[in-house]
Structures are given as C-alpha cells and as structure tokens.
Amino acid sequence: MVSLAVANRVVMYYQTQYQNGQYVSVLPLIGYVTHLFLAAIHLNMGHTGPDIVHLNNNQPADPFFDPMWPELAQLQGNGTKVIGMLGGAAAGTYDCLVDSLFDTYYPALKDVITTYKLDGIDLDVEQSVSLETITHLIQTLKADFGDDFIITLAPVASALTEGGNLSGFDYIQLEHNIGDLISWYNAQFYSGFGTFFPDDQYIDIVNYDQGIDPPRLTALVLTNPSNGGGYVSPDNVVTSIHELMDQYGTDWGGVGGWEYFNSLPDSSQPWEWPIMMKNAMEEQKTKMEADARAKELAARREAEAQPGAWSRLFSRLSSSARHA
C-alpha cells in the first residue's frame, strides 16, 4: 500500500488574545494546527530589565497573559510547535539588535524564549535592517538554542523574487549565505505584495534564482478582509492548495493565516479556517494515494502479463521451427 506523509504545515498567527474583553482560547486548534506563532514580541529601546521585552502592550509575565501560557504548553504537549514572532509592523525592535546594542537587548529576548519554552522564533522584519544584523541574530539564536530550534522569516512575498521588500536586506542573498540556518519562510501573500490565488506567484518564488524549495515556503494569507488588503476566501485558498499539491505532492510548505481570532468562514468559530486547510490537504493526500495505488496496480498487471506474452511468443516461434 502506498502511504504519503503530509509534509506541509497549517500555521496560525495569534496576536489578539482578547476580543470584547473575552479571552480567545487556542485549545480548539489542537490536532489541526502544526505551528502557532505568538505575536508580537517587541524590544523597547531605552528600557531596562524585564521591561525590555513586551508581548504586544504588556510584559510577557503580566497577569494579562495568565490564561494563555498554560494553553500554549498544552498545545505543545499535543504536538503543536509554539513560535514567537519578533517584530512586525511596529518598528524599532531590530534597532536594538545592531552590533553596538546587541549585548544590551538580546539577553532579554533570550530569557523570554527560555522562560516560556518557545520552540522557535519568527523574524518579521518590517523596517530597514542590514544583512549583517539579521545574519548575526540568526547565527546567535542557532548557537544558543541548537539545531532543533526553529528559525523562520516572514517577508512579503515579492521580496523572495527581489521585488517589493519591507526589510532592507536582500532575502535571496541571505538565503545564499545562511539558508541552512533558516527553517522556512512565511511569505506574506497580501497587502499588495502578492496573492496566493491563483498560485503563480508561489511557483515563481520556487523557480526564482537558486530557488526556495517548496517545503521551505509557507504561504501566509489573511483570514478576514478586516485584517488588511488582498484577502483571499478560504475556498480559493483550498483551490490553490489542491493545485500546488498536484504539482509538488505533499512536499510543500503549506499555508498560514493572519490571524486567528476573527478567521472566516465563521469568525465566531475561528478554528474552522485551519480545519478547512487541514482537511483540504488530507483530501488531496487521499486522492494522490488512490492515484498512486491505481498506477501500482496497472504496473503490476502489466508486469504479470509480460512473462505470459513472452511465453506465448516463444511457443509460437518453437512451433514454427518444428514445422519448418
């Protein structure tokens, strides 16, 4: 029997922990999301001690997050990786990580990763940063946390073909230099920098320059049009999933959603979005397995028939020789 392992990811970004005063639980994501990205971690210039690092508007240890940390640990216990997202639209974080300030601000980030047992860090660089600064950060994280620590980057999609870019540095040059230290890219296919439907831009990124292999390219899309420009409906995301799996099999990077709390098709049950994505991948996997089994069966029948065909031909030739 043919068995195909699903290599692609279902990723959710989790920045809004409270909606209308009610905590937004992530427990319904267990079994459906492979990676949860906790957004957004910021470093604050001029602050000291624990106040250097904020998770959105509060220190990570603030009682505001008391319901969240045990749930994230429960997700991890059920196989979901929890990754901190560093940076984002609020500029300033990466100014704290230039060489002259690195030893002042990086230790506070390292302490948060260690204290909350994060499985990795997602570098969402939306300010001008030098190639040297981002390289130094990645190398230091890898040295401190080891080979199993996940390091991802979240460029706008066009940056991966050296087009529009919010980060300052060249991602293709970074990939050339230290691609072996980068687990994958969470490319933002929205806000005028790309679209995931149709899937042409995803394919263009895979084929550009030396190429980013499909397993290392996750497509981020908006889960609700109120989250930004360039929204793609869940049904259209599913269509692109099927088409990309037709092309790359199960060996591609999957999809991610920004963000969890108001995901459509039903914002009152935001977990339906990742369930749709996971189901789409499983359905396509089932179809591919059935196709592979059919091909195996046809090949086996052909192989089984072939010796008989040769035997019949040999008998006819032998009979002709005897009567000659």
Side-chain angles (χ1 to χ4, degrees):
M1 177 179 175
V2 176
S3 179
L4 300 173
V6 177
N8 41 273
R9 294 170 282 273
V10 179
V11 165
M12 289 300 298
Y13 278 77
Y14 179 49
Q15 181 173 42
T16 301
Q17 284 82 35
Y18 289 83
Q19 184 181 27
N20 300 323
Q22 297 295 312
Y23 172 68
V24 180
S25 173
V26 293
L27 294 184
L29 297 175
I30 290 175
Y32 300 107
V33 169
T34 59
H35 300 80
L36 184 76
F37 285 75
L38 178 62
I41 298 170
H42 303 289
L43 303 182
N44 299 304
M45 183 81 72
H47 294 226
T48 59
D51 200 46
I52 288 175
V53 181
H54 278 192
L55 178 57
N56 299 321
N57 298 320
N58 303 84
Q59 292 182 24
D62 192 289
F64 182 82
F65 297 115
D66 283 353
M68 180 188 73
W69 293 117
E71 287 198 354
L72 296 184
Q74 193 169 339
L75 257 69
Q76 288 173 309
N78 283 275
T80 298
K81 300 295 186 182
V82 175
I83 297 169
M85 190 201 93
L86 181 68
T93 290
Y94 292 92
D95 292 333
C96 297
L97 295 170
V98 298
D99 283 351
S100 60
L101 298 173
F102 195 86
D103 290 341
T104 300
Y105 292 99
Y106 173 78
L109 172 63
K110 180 181 176 181
D111 285 347
V112 168
I113 294 170
T114 302
T115 299
Y116 296 101
K117 299 179 173 61
L118 298 180
D119 296 299
I121 201 81
D122 179 49
L123 307 178
D124 185 357
V125 185
E126 300 189 18
Q127 64 180 96
S128 185
V129 174
S130 72
L131 188 65
E132 291 73 23
T133 293
I134 200 69
T135 298
H136 180 214
L137 175 58
I138 291 170
Q139 290 173 332
T140 304
L141 286 165
K142 210 65 172 175
D144 284 345
F145 293 103
D147 291 341
D148 292 337
F149 189 73
I150 297 167
I151 298 177
T152 61
L153 287 97
V156 293
S158 54
L160 295 178
T161 51
E162 297 182 296
N165 185 353
L166 301 178
S167 307
F169 60 87
D170 186 328
Y171 280 90
I172 302 304
Q173 188 61 52
L174 181 71
E175 173 69 9
H176 271 300
N177 294 352
I178 58 166
D180 59 318
L181 302 182
I182 298 166
S183 302
W184 71 83
Y185 295 89
N186 298 304
Q188 300 179 41
F189 284 82
Y190 49 85
S191 295
F193 295 100
T195 183
F196 188 58
F197 179 81
D199 59 8
D200 305 53
Q201 190 173 12
Y202 186 100
I203 296 168
D204 288 345
I205 292 170
V206 171
N207 294 335
Y208 185 79
D209 194 63
Q210 84 276 18
I212 295 172
D213 291 338
R216 296 180 60 242
L217 180 60
T218 296
L220 298 188
V221 302
L222 301 176
T223 60
N224 189 305
S226 66
N227 295 345
Y231 171 74
V232 174
S233 73
D235 287 341
N236 284 341
V237 175
V238 166
T239 296
S240 288
I241 286 172
H242 288 166
E243 291 176 352
L244 287 170
M245 289 183 74
D246 280 339
Q247 178 154 348
Y248 299 120
T250 55
D251 192 25
W252 71 293
V255 295
W258 179 274
E259 60 169 312
Y260 170 52
F261 83 102
N262 63 350
S263 299
L264 297 177
D266 183 353
S267 61
S268 68
Q269 300 183 76
W271 50 88
E272 287 189 5
W273 189 92
I275 290 174
M276 279 187 68
M277 302 307 127
K278 183 176 190 295
N279 287 345
M281 295 174 191
E282 290 290 350
E283 288 164 6
Q284 191 69 4
K285 172 182 175 258
T286 299
K287 175 181 177 295
M288 293 165 61
E289 286 179 335
D291 290 346
R293 282 195 299 269
K295 288 179 181 176
E296 271 190 7
L297 182 59
R300 188 180 302 118
R301 286 174 174 168
E302 182 179 351
E304 290 170 351
Q306 195 69 19
W310 280 109
S311 177
R312 288 191 297 273
L313 178 59
F314 181 77
S315 295
R316 287 198 299 270
L317 289 173
S318 298
S319 176
S320 299
R322 285 196 302 271
H323 291 89

